[in-house]
């Protein structure tokens, strides 16, 4: 992965899906842990997201459906439009497993959401600050008095807060419009905001259309976290293990087939293959150690105080307790990608 500060990635999911996602939650009517999947049957409610390429591979290949068919387990795929939406679904019990940025997982856990991170699906550079080419905005200081689109509760939002701090700009000196990622891009394009804290692959598409990534720093991006509800892990441990097995198989497949992975992303996200290639090949490290641990903790320890300063979490004690209880590496340590049979 190109890790030069001027090479950036972004994460995204189609913003229009957010209301549809909530509606689909209600339709499934399945709380995590209900009808616990096993030999007697049940359901696995799991998300897919354009910012999580491994989820797209697993869904496209049909590995979970094939693996769980004999156990009469129905696999329900629900698209997450952003980390905040995945967290909402996890908290509501509408999904058992969901994809977020590390910052979003820590935020949710700090505020009482009973989730565990069971796999690290990527190390991306997926966030940066974006503006229009003729905006006159070239550095962080130019944002004073400006309006910025960002999706609260996601990596781009916390990227923005860190960037403002690094540039000596107080958050009170800017106006943040809380918009889902795709809506933020649209607002920038139509001039409703002056800048956008973007997420790939939507950001890469905006860049191709002439937008400028005027500030980027890979150290302000957190890892891609795969999270599950505690209830799901406790009541359906074998099913949880199957999910992680599939993720590790997808990691092997995507690492060996980056162009094909980019093609899957391009189709799902509705973007050009060239853009998808930039996201997958240049801005995403899928070969990262999948076990959540010290590397992720080191990044989140820097993010935690930002939560408190911004008022997103009441106290540092809550953040510290969340950091101490968020990770569960047991499923990754026992992962067996070969247990998942290839679809072809």
């Amino acid at each position: 992965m190109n890790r030069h500060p001027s090479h950036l990635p972004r994460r995204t999911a189609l913003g229009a899906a957010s209301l549809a996602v909530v509606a689909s939650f209600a339709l499934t009517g399945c709380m995590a842990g209900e009808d616990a999947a096993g030999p007697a049957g049940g359901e696995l409610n799991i998300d897919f997201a354009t910012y999580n390429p491994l989820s797209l591979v697993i869904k496209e290949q049909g590995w979970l459906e094939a693996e769980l068919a004999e156990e009469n387990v129905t696999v329900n795929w629900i698209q997450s439009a952003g980390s905040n939406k995945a967290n909402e679904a996890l908290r509501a019990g509408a999904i058992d497993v969901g994809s977020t940025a590390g910052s979003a997982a820590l935020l949710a856990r700090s505020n009482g959401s009973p989730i565990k991170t069971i796999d690290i699906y990527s190390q991306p550079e997926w966030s940066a600050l974006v503006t229009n080419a003729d905006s006159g905005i070239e550095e962080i200081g130019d944002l004073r008095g400006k309006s910025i689109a960002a999706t609260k509760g996601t990596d781009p939002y916390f990227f923005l807060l860190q960037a403002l701090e690094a540039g000596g700009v107080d958050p009170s000196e800017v106006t943040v419009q809380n918009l889902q990622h795709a809506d933020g891009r649209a607002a920038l394009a139509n001039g409703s905001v002056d800048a956008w804290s973007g997420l790939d692959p939507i950001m890469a598409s905006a860049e191709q259309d002439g937008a400028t990534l005027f500030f980027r720093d890979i150290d302000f991006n957190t890892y891609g976290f795969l999270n599950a509800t505690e209830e799901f892990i406790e009541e359906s441990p074998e099913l949880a293990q199957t999910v992680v097995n599939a993720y590790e198989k997808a990691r092997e497949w995507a690492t060996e087939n980056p162009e094909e992975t980019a093609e899957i992303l391009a189709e799902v996200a509705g973007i050009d293959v060239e853009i998808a290639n930039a996201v997958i090949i240049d801005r995403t490290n899928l070969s990262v150690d999948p076990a959540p641990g010290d590397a992720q903790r080191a990044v989140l320890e820097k993010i935690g105080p930002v939560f408190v300063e911004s008022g997103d979490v009441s106290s540092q004690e809550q953040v510290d307790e969340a950091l101490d209880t968020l990770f569960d590496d047991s499923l990754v340590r026992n992962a067996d990608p070969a247990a998942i049979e290839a679809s072809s």
Side-chain angles (χ1 to χ4, degrees):
M1 178 179 69
N2 186 334
R3 301 184 64 173
H4 189 280
S6 67
H7 199 71
L8 131 180
R10 150 207 123 196
R11 158 193 78 205
T12 172
L14 305 179
S18 54
L19 290 178
V21 168
V22 173
S24 65
F25 298 160
L27 289 173
T28 61
C30 180
M31 301 294 286
E34 287 182 2
D35 296 321
E43 292 186 327
L44 168 63
N45 297 309
I46 185 169
D47 84 339
F48 69 102
T50 56
Y51 54 84
N52 177 356
L54 298 188
S55 71
L56 306 183
V57 170
I58 296 168
K59 183 176 184 293
E60 195 271 343
Q61 295 289 339
W63 291 330
L64 285 174
E65 289 84 350
E67 188 70 19
L68 298 172
E70 292 185 1
E71 299 178 35
N72 296 317
V73 174
T74 299
V75 180
N76 299 315
W77 289 98
I78 300 170
Q79 184 169 14
S80 289
S83 291
N84 60 329
K85 295 302 178 183
N87 275 331
E88 288 173 10
L90 285 163
R91 183 183 288 273
I95 56 175
D96 307 304
V97 183
S99 318
T100 73
S103 58
L106 178 61
L107 176 65
R109 182 82 192 186
S110 297
N111 286 322
S113 184
I115 61 170
K116 292 279 191 178
T117 299
I118 58 174
D119 192 284
I120 303 300
Y121 60 80
S122 71
Q123 181 187 21
E125 188 201 359
W126 53 22
S127 299
L129 297 186
V130 188
T131 191
N132 292 316
D134 58 353
S135 69
I137 297 173
E138 298 180 352
E139 58 186 31
I140 299 300
D142 295 332
L143 291 174
R144 288 187 176 90
K146 305 294 186 181
S147 59
I148 308 164
T151 309
K152 290 189 175 182
T154 71
D155 239 29
Y157 174 66
F158 296 113
F159 184 98
L160 171 62
L161 294 182
Q162 293 176 89
L164 292 175
E165 182 180 22
V169 176
D170 192 275
S172 65
E173 297 180 276
V174 302
T175 300
V176 177
Q177 292 195 25
N178 183 21
L179 300 172
Q180 281 299 136
H181 304 299
D183 298 329
R185 182 208 170 166
L188 178 66
N190 66 30
S192 298
V193 296
D194 301 298
W196 168 49
S197 193
L199 176 70
D200 268 336
I202 299 173
M203 185 171 65
S205 180
E207 185 180 18
Q208 187 184 56
D209 290 342
T212 299
L213 308 178
F214 70 93
F215 181 84
R216 52 195 303 180
D217 188 329
I218 192 172
D219 292 334
F220 289 174
N221 292 262
T222 60
Y223 291 74
F225 280 32
L226 186 71
N227 309 304
T229 63
E230 290 181 339
E231 187 175 5
F232 174 68
I233 296 170
E234 292 168 2
E235 297 189 3
S236 303
E238 293 183 0
L239 185 50
Q241 186 66 66
T242 297
V243 170
V244 173
N245 289 347
Y247 260 83
E248 292 317 299
K249 183 177 183 65
R251 188 186 310 280
E252 292 179 353
W253 189 93
T255 301
E256 294 172 359
N257 302 280
E259 291 83 6
E260 290 86 345
T261 302
E263 289 175 2
I264 295 172
L265 171 60
E267 181 176 357
V268 176
I271 58 177
D272 291 342
V273 172
E274 292 78 9
I275 297 173
N277 274 319
V279 173
I280 296 297
I281 297 174
D282 299 331
R283 301 178 182 179
T284 305
N285 175 16
L286 296 176
S287 298
V288 65
D289 184 348
D294 292 342
Q296 290 73 40
R297 185 182 180 100
V299 174
L300 294 183
E301 283 177 342
K302 299 175 184 177
I303 298 290
V306 177
F307 293 164
V308 181
E309 292 169 10
S310 65
D312 291 287
V313 179
S314 298
S315 69
Q316 184 63 41
E317 288 74 19
Q318 289 174 248
V319 174
D320 293 341
E321 182 179 356
L323 267 175
D324 289 339
T325 57
L326 179 60
F327 300 151
D328 181 349
D329 66 357
S330 63
L331 298 172
V332 167
R333 298 301 182 192
N334 292 317
D336 181 11
I340 305 295
E341 293 186 8
S343 58
S344 60

